[in-house]
Amino acid sequence: MVIISFDVVWMRDVCSAFAAAGGFGLDRAVTAQNCARTAPPRDDTAECLARSGCMTAQRHDEVSGVHVMAEGRLEGKVVLLTGIGGGMGRVTARLFAAEGAVVVGCDLDAASAAETARMVEAEGNAIDWTAPVDLGSRPAIEHWIGDAVQRHGRIDVLYNNASLPRFAPFGQMSDEDYRFTLRNELDLVWLASQVAWAHLAATGGAIVNIGSGAGIQGVRSLPQAAHAAAKGAVIALTRQLAAEGVAVGVRINCVSPGVMATPPVLAMLEELGDRAPVTPVIERTIDGRPGDPLAVAYAGLYLASDEAKWVTGVNLNVDGGASSMM
């Protein structure tokens, strides 16, 4: 499944809807200062992953005074990761593999998934991947998860990253596009979690869902009602599954990204400058830039790891403070 934060279809749909609605009242000139603020951040993924690979050295625990061997934070855990073909899913696959996880990934696009696998392997790690997988189909999910259990014997983490929304102003959105968005943002989380539930209960495992800032806050400049409905439901589902998970020993948490520096978002900013519909959100961030996808991956890493064994039912906003500051 195509990864979100947003794919090329997202950019095209948002820009078209933005233009159709008359720009949503935005009419700001592009300034050199703002262009600099929205410039793509340097890709530090490889450097960060290299640093995370240095965790095998002995370290001193300042609290207990005991010397321990620090392995990868997901060492030996079997992690099912959806939507590995680009954006946040690709970065997450690389990080989790570097942290010792047995990453079992899938995507709707075989070529993009293969490119992610090439990157993971070039960094000296491994990934088990399958594509295409239609995560809106229960039989397809059952086949993918069943194969993973057969090959690896267990599931420790389900990381629901994949998403494929469509965008249009509320009054103009077709029923087809609304249903498509729910299927590919909410249904796939429900189905994958339900199919994996018994396996996670057997291991005392965890689910990490990817929500969105759209699920907690309305944005006047973005035509995203269906996306907001789906991601708001993912956040609510996270809390309820956490409550039901107590009885079977499964933790469920959510990470909600803001506007991230994925290629489609950066292309939108380059094309539209300050008239891009995401600009009002970016302006409220801590540094006036779209976020690094690696920040989302690290938040998910914490929630997937044993470090978060006393954390469940949480929605962690990774949005540069945009949802907290007016």
Side-chain angles (χ1 to χ4, degrees), residues 232-254:
V234 168
I235 295 168
L237 179 62
T238 296
R239 297 191 184 102
Q240 181 58 32
L241 292 187
E244 297 188 28
V246 170
V248 294
V250 178
R251 297 185 300 107
I252 303 91
N253 293 290
C254 187

Side-chain angles (χ1 to χ4, degrees), residues 42-255:
R42 183 167 61 91
D43 181 4
D44 292 329
T45 303
E47 179 182 344
C48 290
L49 294 181
R51 287 201 300 269
S52 73
C54 296
M55 295 178 64
T56 54
Q58 191 178 63
R59 64 176 174 81
H60 184 75
D61 188 316
E62 297 294 341
V63 176
S64 67
V66 176
H67 283 81
V68 296
M69 291 300 293
E71 296 180 330
R73 296 167 68 185
L74 296 176
E75 194 68 36
K77 289 187 181 294
V78 178
V79 178
L80 302 187
L81 172 59
T82 67
I84 64 169
M88 293 187 296
R90 174 171 288 170
V91 169
T92 302
R94 293 168 64 187
L95 175 63
F96 281 25
E99 289 290 350
V102 177
V103 179
V104 182
C106 73
D107 201 276
L108 194 60
D109 187 302
S112 61
E115 176 61 16
T116 297
R118 185 198 64 77
M119 292 179 176
V120 170
E121 290 162 2
E123 291 160 353
N125 300 308
I127 183 171
D128 177 0
W129 63 278
T130 303
V133 176
D134 179 5
L135 292 169
S137 163
R138 180 181 291 275
I141 292 177
E142 289 176 341
H143 187 265
W144 176 57
I145 292 179
D147 279 356
V149 173
Q150 186 174 19
R151 287 195 302 273
H152 302 287
R154 57 187 287 136
I155 299 171
D156 296 294
V157 178
L158 170 64
Y159 196 103
N160 284 313
N161 169 79
S163 178
L164 185 58
R166 290 179 178 173
F167 295 81
F170 174 69
Q172 301 171 27
M173 187 165 222
S174 67
D175 289 347
E176 178 186 356
D177 286 349
Y178 170 65
R179 297 296 176 190
F180 180 93
T181 299
L182 290 185
R183 180 184 190 273
N184 292 289
E185 290 208 302
L186 174 59
D187 291 359
L188 50 74
V189 172
W190 176 284
L191 291 172
S193 299
Q194 195 173 62
V195 173
W197 191 256
H199 301 292
L200 292 167
T203 60
I207 297 174
V208 179
N209 294 324
I210 296 299
S212 171
I216 59 174
Q217 187 174 52
V219 180
R220 286 179 289 176
S221 62
L222 283 167
Q224 59 174 5
H227 173 58
K231 288 301 188 178
V234 168
I235 295 168
L237 179 62
T238 296
R239 297 191 184 102
Q240 181 58 32
L241 292 187
E244 297 188 28
V246 170
V248 294
V250 178
R251 297 185 300 107
I252 303 91
N253 293 290
C254 187
V255 179

Side-chain angles (χ1 to χ4, degrees), residues 9-47:
V9 175
W10 184 92
M11 182 180 73
R12 183 173 65 244
D13 288 353
V14 169
C15 289
S16 297
F18 176 69
F24 301 96
L26 295 178
D27 187 21
R28 289 187 289 274
V30 180
T31 64
Q33 179 181 6
N34 284 335
C35 285
R37 285 167 53 204
T38 56
R42 183 167 61 91
D43 181 4
D44 292 329
T45 303
E47 179 182 344

